[in-house]
Amino acid sequence: MSSFSSIIHFFLLSLPLLSISCLSLSQPPNTKPNPFILPIKKDPSTNLFYTSVGIGTPRKDFNLAIDLAGENLWYDCDTHYNSSSYIPIECGSKKCPDVACIGCNGPFKPGCTNNTCAANTINTLANFIFGGGLGQDFIFISQQKVSGLLSSCIDTDGFPSFTGNDSPLNGLPKITKGIIGLARSNLSLPTQLALKNELPPKFSLCLPSSNKQGFTNLLVGSIGKDPFQELYKFVQTTPLIVNPVSTGAVSVQGVPSIEYFIDVKAIKIDGKVVNLKPSLLSIDNKGNGGTKISTMSPFTELQRSVYKPFIRDFLKKASDRKLKKVESVAPFEACFESTNIENSLPRIDLVLQGGVQWSIYGNNLMVNVKKNVACLGFVDGGTEPRMSFAKASIVIGGHQLEDNLLVFDLNSSKLSFSSSLLVHNASCS
Ligand SMILES: *[C@@H]1O[C@H](CO)[C@@H](O)[C@H](O)[C@H]1NC(C)=O
Ligand SMILES: *[C@@H]1O[C@H](CO)[C@@H](O)[C@H](O)[C@H]1NC(C)=O
Ligand SMILES: *[C@@H]1O[C@H](CO)[C@@H](O)[C@H](O)[C@H]1NC(C)=O
Ligand SMILES: *[C@@H]1O[C@H](CO)[C@@H](O)[C@H](O)[C@H]1NC(C)=O
Ligand SMILES: *[C@@H]1O[C@H](CO)[C@@H](O)[C@H](O)[C@H]1NC(C)=O
């Protein structure tokens, strides 16, 4: 990621040479912008997370699902939407990373423009891969109006077939109209904001376990008032791994994955290592395997050959601890009578590169599925990849991330994580 530092240094060095008229367009050199803070809410019916940003003129607020692996920000510019400040990015222009070009026969509006650079509109829960148009418009983030950010928009009314299960919005919380992508990509919001505002390419994420606690934050930049300041004493650090093979819906040969992987060396249950072939946990030459972090999977998914021994060992430890097993409740397998089990649950540790451990216990481990029944919140990820995605061995999902402070530092390629804050009587909110 050395490109970030060189670009920022170049900008700083060349600042004194800029003309006065140019200077007035940029931030005055001594006033650093406030961090960008986005509130995060949980959607109880999908168990996914979303935030809200304003877009365009007049400003319209969009709820957007949070996708850690999402390449860009995309929103639904449906028939009723228009914005007078929208600027489509022309095909072949410097800002256009794609070779594809789109056009439209209707009257001009976002989602209907000619000679426009195509942009991915990816929702991993949808049944198809969609393309939108790359454009630029005002985006309002925590009371700050930001210009010059690139996003993708797609008119979901534009094609009659975009309804129901075939919609680009399929599987997202009903209240959302798009996705905010946080991946390691040039078009992701943290990357664009950091570059534009001379902030370190770094963001923090702390997912709430329910909306009763209020909301938590997605934070880009770590200067000035940092709402997570109190929590940094709890964090440990592990390298973020780059999977050299592209793993997304649109795989490009020779281009590394933009998803966030960490190197899980072993899984321990109550201190005992689950017996797994080491090759099951590493990334192979097709990009399969490894451990990634996903906010689009509500629960941690283990590929079947990891899942089987894992569940067997967990049930054994649970039985040693005299937990009363009850009938499974799909999609979960290991379910127990839940009265007073908090202090008798086995503990799960992910042993990571650098000798640190990500400990999962209590609320991050179990899901209350009905009265007096709690299930281990891990699911069988099967054996087959979905669509053309490469398949990770472990996908750490939303439930296991709740009330864990995660700091993604893209420059040093490191993840800082807190394990459950609830242990410290702290939470994301
Ligand atoms: C959308 O807004 C633009 C700029 O204000 C205007 O030129 C255009 O006609 C509008 N499009 C529609 C479909 O109303
Ligand atoms: C795009 O170009 C076609 C053909 O020139 C034209 O009919 C159409 O009105 C244009 N659409 C827009 C949105 O400008
Ligand atoms: C991202 O931006 C950098 C610097 O502008 C460029 O070198 C690189 O090719 C871009 N990556 C992609 C995947 O477009
Ligand atoms: C990126 O990291 C390098 C050292 O690893 C540091 O010198 C540089 O200042 C960092 N850049 C940013 C933008 O944080
Ligand atoms: C957390 O709070 C509970 C009840 O308020 C208290 O019993 C416990 O000792 C606290 N734990 C820590 C780690 O501070």
Side-chain angles (χ1 to χ4, degrees), residues 283-351:
I283 297 171
D284 73 12
N285 59 8
K286 293 201 176 85
N288 291 305
T291 299
K292 70 177 182 188
I293 305 174
S294 168
T295 52
M296 295 296 277
S297 302
F299 306 101
T300 294
E301 295 166 18
L302 304 178
Q303 188 219 304
R304 187 153 307 151
S305 42
V306 176
Y307 180 79
K308 291 282 180 205
F310 169 81
I311 282 286
R312 197 174 50 231
D313 286 11
F314 187 87
L315 286 172
K316 169 79 173 59
K317 290 288 177 200
S319 142
D320 291 350
R321 285 167 167 267
K322 307 275 183 283
L323 295 193
K324 183 149 185 286
K325 188 170 185 317
V326 298
E327 212 173 305
S328 302
V329 179
F332 308 113
E333 190 172 333
C335 299
F336 307 92
E337 210 167 75
S338 63
T339 331
N340 300 323
I341 60 168
E342 291 85 38
N343 296 322
S344 357
L345 288 169
R347 151 179 171 160
I348 295 179
D349 296 304
L350 305 178
V351 183

Side-chain angles (χ1 to χ4, degrees), residues 246-259:
S246 108
T247 52
V250 184
S251 306
V252 190
Q253 206 156 22
V255 174
S257 168
I258 60 171
E259 300 190 84

Side-chain angles (χ1 to χ4, degrees), residues 1-2 4-6 8-9 194 198-201 409-412:
M1 289 272 128
S2 62
F4 284 113
S5 48
S6 55
I8 288 167
H9 282 153
E198 298 173 27
L199 295 168
D409 183 337
L410 307 191
N411 185 31
S412 64

Side-chain angles (χ1 to χ4, degrees), residues 103-109 111-115:
C104 179
N105 281 323
F108 178 95
K109 68 182 276 307
C112 186
T113 56
N114 274 330
N115 189 30

Side-chain angles (χ1 to χ4, degrees), residues 107-240:
F108 178 95
K109 68 182 276 307
C112 186
T113 56
N114 274 330
N115 189 30
T116 301
C117 182
N120 290 327
T121 306
I122 292 174
N123 166 11
T124 54
L125 304 173
N127 294 317
F128 303 99
I129 292 161
F130 300 90
L134 190 66
Q136 197 170 300
D137 209 337
F138 295 119
I139 299 190
F140 298 82
I141 304 164
S142 51
Q143 269 77 55
Q144 302 181 70
K145 180 178 181 176
V146 190
S147 60
L149 299 182
L150 297 173
S151 58
S152 166
C153 99
I154 187 167
D155 178 359
T156 58
D157 294 330
F159 296 85
S161 62
F162 276 10
T163 54
N165 292 346
D166 292 344
S167 165
L169 300 169
N170 186 50
L172 301 182
K174 286 275 175 298
I175 196 172
T176 62
K177 289 279 184 206
I179 284 182
I180 184 168
L182 306 178
R184 186 205 306 271
S185 61
N186 287 350
L187 288 177
S188 83
L189 193 79
T191 309
Q192 290 195 65
L193 279 177
L195 200 55
K196 187 172 157 48
N197 293 286
E198 298 173 27
L199 295 168
K202 183 171 168 176
F203 65 94
S204 314
L205 184 69
C206 203
L207 301 177
S209 48
S210 83
N211 283 336
K212 291 198 196 83
Q213 317 174 345
F215 49 73
T216 63
N217 294 311
L218 166 67
L219 175 77
V220 179
S222 56
I223 41 172
K225 206 164 153 284
D226 183 339
F228 295 135
Q229 200 62 54
E230 287 290 293
L231 302 176
Y232 291 129
K233 57 178 178 279
F234 302 127
V235 304
Q236 296 179 287
T237 299
T238 193
L240 283 168

